[in-house]
Amino acid sequence: MGGRDDENLHTEAADGAGSTWAQALLDHLRPTGRDVGRIVDWLAKTLDATVSLRDDEGASLAGPLTPLDEALAADITGGRLASAAWEGDGRFVRLMRVELTRPGSVGVLAVTRTSSFDRRASDVVTHTVGVLELLLRAQQTAATGHRLARATADLRLAILQLLMVEDTIAARRVAAGLWPGLLDTDTACVYVVEVSPEERDRLAAACVAATRDEALVVRCPALDGHVIVVVPDDSAGSALRALCDRNPGAFLGGSSRQSLAHTATAYGQAVSALAVARFRPDKTAVYAERTHPERLMDPEVLRTWTTRLLRPLDTLPHHTRAELLATTRLGLEFTAVNAAKVLGVSRNTVRARMERVENLLRTDFSDLTVRAAVHLALNAQVGIAQEPIGAAAAPSRFGELLTGPALLAWAQDLLARLDTDGRDLRGTLRAWIAAGGNAERAAQRLSVHAQTVREHVRSAEPVLERQLLAGGSDLYEVVLAHLAAGDLDQPDLHGHPQRDSRQDSHRAESGHPDSPVHG
């Protein structure tokens, strides 16, 4: 029984083969070989022994458990001995103290042979303990780093989720501890970077470096390839563009400047811009770069109509109203599952909130024209001044928003792109929208196969430079174009369907025989 042998890992062995086993032991510290179990197995093979590593409670950490002198083991784990040796019944046993990763935790390495421990065997055991402790410390440091990185990522996501429901006060309070001044702003821009899921962690770290840790960088909880970046000003835009330029598979979409309380709207804009970026050579796009239908509408009429449509929500407490509006914005952009992941709630909560909005607005979100109209109102509501509409302001109907010459010209120009294809993409798209985006129902009306409908809709995406099958802002713009051009019935809002007289004349001139139905 004795103390630990010399712990200098580079001590030469007594025989000429020392350098061989020492090199083999050091190889276990390479990134591809760092495994406690493999080191224990290597030691057993090298010394033709039975080797086990157990903790201070006797549980096996590596190797098969072997009978030990528990008194000796207790002396080692208790700190009274650093090592011990025992011989009997044809066995030679060496016990060595091993510092484990838990604070104050000590393990015992037991090496049992049928032959005695010569100088070489003793050196191998001693140095193996040193390697094990070094590896365990490295693993503890790495694990701590991973936990810290995970906690930081969770905190960033929590801040984003608070911003999504307009709780800017709580978001600032949470951010202040780690990122002082990060949200000391009234406005912000949101960018979404898209890469392959395998590249996302690396690119997220690159985004943090590119923005000098002065932006909120979040791995999107809904889409595995997305990184969300909230920046207090647009100074990071050029850095993010340069980052995407250096990464061939990356795309970047950015929002216009929005109030910090309207982060959800800015996020939707960034996702919409991302869809455009996929069709552009430089792989980047900003929401303001494209003409959007709401910019072509009479602003006072849009303001009046929006206020009237959303007025049923004004009776709710501010927090509840903000929560419902934020959830509905995301629910109209994405699936309930993805919206739930972004908000950090269950999908049933998302559906329940949206159903409550449906009931308050007395409308039906299964109708794509209704979804497009409500989506328009939610986006317009962001830019509406807080003061109420004057008593003299006449209430506006949705149809009034679609009568302007600029909007009509935009709609006709957008849909005319589809006419360059030999297939009737425009007719298929119109029927698909009228069927609520359901390919099977649209196929029945058109007497074609459902796959043909999907192929036509997919073919329309690059022509229109908008994603359609994924839903969201791009689709709603195309729906508004159909409504402005008179290709579809006006949506049923507040329980009052509005039929546009222009629709019948347009169909007669265009030769469209079918009449769409609401989904």
Side-chain angles (χ1 to χ4, degrees):
M1 187 183 305
R4 176 173 299 186
D5 295 330
D6 182 9
E7 295 185 4
N8 180 5
L9 188 60
H10 300 289
T11 299
E12 295 182 0
D15 56 74
S19 60
T20 302
W21 68 257
Q23 184 59 51
L25 180 58
L26 288 173
D27 284 342
H28 285 284
L29 291 177
R30 298 180 185 275
T32 56
R34 296 174 181 174
D35 181 85
V36 171
R38 289 176 60 181
I39 294 177
V40 168
D41 291 343
W42 171 86
L43 179 60
K45 182 178 179 181
T46 301
L47 297 185
D48 190 21
T50 300
V51 181
S52 68
L53 177 63
R54 51 186 265 181
D55 62 17
D56 48 8
E57 295 180 354
S60 174
L61 299 178
L65 281 176
T66 54
L68 299 180
D69 185 320
E70 294 300 331
L72 284 179
D75 286 341
I76 290 176
T77 57
R80 290 181 291 276
L81 295 175
S83 65
W86 178 84
E87 176 184 348
D89 299 329
R91 294 190 304 150
F92 297 84
V93 182
R94 290 289 301 271
L95 306 181
M96 300 288 291
R97 176 189 177 94
V98 179
E99 299 290 340
L100 301 181
T101 56
R102 297 194 312 274
S105 178
V106 176
V108 176
L109 179 72
V111 183
T112 304
R113 307 179 72 199
T114 57
S115 57
S116 63
F117 285 83
D118 55 15
R119 174 65 183 274
R120 172 181 177 274
S122 297
D123 283 346
V124 171
V125 173
T126 299
H127 294 318
T128 299
V129 170
V131 169
L132 282 172
E133 290 184 335
L134 185 62
L135 176 59
L136 289 169
R137 284 197 296 270
Q139 289 179 342
Q140 181 183 31
T141 301
T144 301
H146 288 315
R147 287 195 297 271
L148 179 59
R150 183 62 199 171
T152 303
D154 290 345
L155 188 58
R156 292 178 186 271
L157 176 58
I159 295 169
L160 177 67
Q161 289 169 342
L162 289 170
L163 292 176
M164 287 290 189
V165 294
E166 303 184 18
D167 196 347
T168 57
I169 295 176
R172 288 189 176 105
R173 187 180 300 120
V174 173
L178 289 179
W179 303 283
L182 176 64
L183 298 181
D184 290 349
T185 177
D186 293 326
T187 62
C189 296
V190 175
Y191 289 89
V192 176
V193 186
E194 180 181 73
V195 289
S196 66
E198 296 76 19
E199 289 289 308
R200 184 172 71 164
D201 286 349
R202 182 187 63 81
L203 198 68
C207 287
V208 172
T211 58
R212 302 184 300 278
D213 209 18
E214 296 176 355
L216 183 66
V217 179
V218 180
R219 293 166 179 80
C220 179
L223 300 171
D224 291 339
H226 284 192
V227 177
I228 304 168
V229 185
V230 182
V231 296
D233 54 51
D234 202 25
S235 59
S238 58
L240 292 175
R241 289 186 182 90
L243 180 63
C244 289
D245 189 54
R246 295 193 299 270
N247 291 269
F251 299 91
L252 177 68
S255 75
S256 60
R257 184 177 299 282
Q258 295 288 345
S259 163
L260 195 62
H262 297 144
T263 300
T265 297
Y267 173 54
Q269 290 181 351
V271 172
S272 177
L274 182 64
V276 178
R278 296 189 186 100
F279 303 111
R280 293 198 169 180
D282 62 356
K283 305 177 298 179
T284 66
V286 175
Y287 185 77
E289 293 176 356
R290 192 170 83 191
T291 300
H292 297 275
E294 61 267 26
R295 298 191 181 129
L296 303 174
M297 298 174 181
D298 184 311
E300 186 58 33
V301 174
L302 177 59
R303 180 175 184 271
T304 305
W305 170 79
T306 296
T307 303
R308 172 179 173 269
L309 179 69
L310 300 180
R311 183 167 291 150
L313 281 72
D314 294 343
T315 60
L316 301 173
H318 172 75
H319 177 74
T320 301
R321 183 178 185 274
E323 190 175 67
L324 291 180
L325 288 175
T327 302
T328 303
R329 284 192 188 100
L330 291 176
L332 292 176
E333 288 284 352
F334 310 103
T335 65
V337 173
N338 286 346
K341 290 178 180 178
V342 172
L343 291 171
V345 298
S346 71
R347 60 183 177 181
N348 289 335
T349 298
V350 170
R351 290 176 177 138
R353 291 176 183 174
M354 293 188 69
E355 286 176 4
R356 186 175 180 185
V357 173
E358 277 184 297
N359 293 332
L360 287 169
L361 301 184
R362 303 202 309 277
T363 192
D364 180 8
F365 285 164
S366 66
D367 187 331
L368 273 179
T369 62
V370 170
R371 292 172 72 91
V374 174
H375 182 267
L376 172 66
L378 292 176
N379 282 341
Q381 182 261 346
V382 170
I384 290 177
Q386 296 302 314
E387 62 269 13
I389 294 285
S396 301
R397 296 175 69 83
F398 182 66
E400 294 181 45
L401 296 174
L402 310 177
T403 58
L407 183 66
L408 180 58
W410 166 81
Q412 291 175 339
D413 177 69
L414 179 66
L415 298 180
R417 301 181 195 177
L418 300 170
D419 297 335
T420 59
D421 195 290
R423 298 163 294 178
D424 186 14
L425 298 185
R426 185 167 177 173
T428 302
L429 185 56
R430 177 167 56 86
W432 179 74
I433 293 172
N438 185 290
E440 285 75 14
R441 292 206 302 269
Q444 291 176 359
R445 295 196 56 79
L446 297 172
S447 299
V448 297
H449 196 277
Q451 187 58 31
T452 301
V453 174
R454 296 187 187 96
E455 289 175 358
H456 282 198
V457 175
R458 191 174 292 109
S459 297
E461 291 184 327
V463 177
L464 299 175
E465 287 191 333
R466 286 160 174 84
Q467 282 193 309
L468 303 175
L469 291 170
S473 297
D474 284 2
L475 174 58
Y476 300 141
E477 285 190 9
V478 175
V479 172
L480 290 176
H482 280 83
L483 290 168
D487 281 6
L488 294 171
D489 286 335
Q490 295 297 303
D492 183 355
L493 301 172
H494 288 321
H496 299 296
Q498 304 174 56
R499 185 173 184 82
D500 192 339
S501 59
R502 294 176 296 167
Q503 184 178 343
D504 296 325
S505 61
H506 175 78
R507 287 184 187 152
E509 293 169 2
S510 304
H512 293 309
D514 54 301
S515 175
V517 295
H518 294 309

